[in-house]
Amino acid sequence: MEIHSFNRLPSTQTYLIEQLKEGYLKAPVAVISLEQDDGIGSRNNSWSGGEGNFFASIAIDIAMLPEDLPLGSASIYFSFIMKQTLESLDTNIWLKWPNDFYLNDDKVGGTITKKVNETLVCGIGINLKNSQNGYRALQCDISPQKLLENYLFALKKLPKWKQIFRLYEIEFELSRKFSVHMENDKKSLSDATLCEDGSVILGGKRVFSLR
């Protein structure tokens, strides 16, 4: 996959989406920036910073993805592969439903996916070395560029959703002591039912990835 590297961007996600829409870039392609000034976080919050932290976005044609992947849970799929990539570097990271990276009880990053025509754009931000955006850091020595290369190598294998889900199903139990924001309200995951398509049943409602 082609990688476009920058010293600074407002947002890798915004840049990549604009470039795809204008036809200057085509999937599969990745964008990484050493610093990010106006990144997109959860619930329209900002996710910015630099100094060794990870800011990247990847675009993949939907036709290339596993046939059994529910698009509503694509962020779980992309996030879990990144989680596995970081785990191979001896980090004690886990994935809180649906797409937040945690170290023990502290958030260290997150994922956002967006459909652009027939392409999925996945933006990932992780505090590798420095606590930023109000969250702690992994204190991981890998460089952002090397992490992206390792991630793309793992992603290239395109494991089936069923494989990813069977592993995530076990890890989901760690999410039960946390809450998620849903319709401007916080809902506990303590009694949530995880469905095979990656959605959860919360208060009688089925909810897919929240971003």
Side-chain angles (χ1 to χ4, degrees):
M1 185 183 295
E2 190 177 33
I3 299 175
H4 294 259
S5 301
F6 297 87
N7 289 326
R8 181 188 295 268
L9 280 177
S11 163
T12 61
Q13 181 90 335
T14 301
Y15 174 83
L16 182 51
I17 289 172
E18 289 174 350
Q19 295 297 301
L20 289 169
K21 288 181 175 178
E22 294 293 331
Y24 296 124
L25 292 178
K26 292 184 178 180
V29 64
V31 171
I32 186 170
S33 182
L34 298 182
E35 296 187 44
Q36 183 169 268
D37 302 319
D38 192 23
I40 304 169
S42 60
R43 302 185 306 283
N44 295 318
N45 292 324
S46 175
W47 189 277
S48 303
E51 301 294 329
N53 288 342
F54 185 81
F55 309 98
S57 293
I58 300 103
I60 298 180
D61 285 331
I62 291 172
M64 292 178 60
L65 295 170
E67 292 181 359
D68 68 337
L69 174 62
L71 289 185
S73 292
S75 58
I76 295 176
Y77 181 82
F78 287 115
S79 298
F80 199 81
I81 293 173
M82 174 57 84
K83 176 255 183 185
Q84 290 176 315
T85 303
L86 284 163
E87 254 189 344
S88 69
L89 301 168
D90 295 326
T91 62
N92 188 29
I93 195 170
W94 64 277
L95 184 64
K96 173 182 168 285
W97 190 90
N99 40 23
D100 284 331
F101 300 105
Y102 267 66
L103 180 65
N104 299 320
D105 290 343
D106 298 308
K107 181 176 174 177
V108 295
T111 300
I112 292 178
T113 53
K114 184 171 182 178
K115 185 175 179 287
V116 180
N117 298 322
E118 295 306 310
T119 300
L120 270 184
V121 179
C122 168
I124 301 178
I126 303 172
N127 291 342
L128 291 179
K129 294 185 179 178
N130 295 295
S131 300
Q132 292 177 339
N133 305 293
Y135 303 109
R136 69 179 292 188
L138 279 177
Q139 300 301 327
C140 181
D141 289 333
I142 191 171
S143 71
Q145 294 90 339
K146 182 62 176 173
L147 177 57
L148 179 60
E149 291 172 9
N150 288 5
Y151 178 64
L152 293 179
F153 180 79
L155 192 61
K156 187 168 65 173
K157 299 173 185 177
L158 290 171
K160 297 290 186 184
W161 165 251
K162 185 177 181 179
Q163 293 175 263
I164 295 294
F165 180 76
R166 290 298 171 233
L167 295 171
Y168 181 65
E169 192 175 22
I170 299 169
E171 186 159 294
F172 178 76
E173 296 304 311
L174 295 173
S175 293
R176 293 196 180 279
K177 63 179 180 178
F178 293 88
S179 299
V180 294
H181 288 269
M182 190 176 96
E183 298 175 355
N184 299 318
D185 195 12
K186 285 185 78 172
K187 299 286 187 181
S188 172
L189 289 167
S190 60
D191 297 320
T193 300
L194 179 66
C195 305
E196 292 206 355
D197 59 5
S199 65
V200 295
I201 306 295
L202 270 177
K205 294 182 179 179
R206 175 167 290 204
V207 185
F208 280 89
S209 171
L210 303 177
R211 53 187 162 102

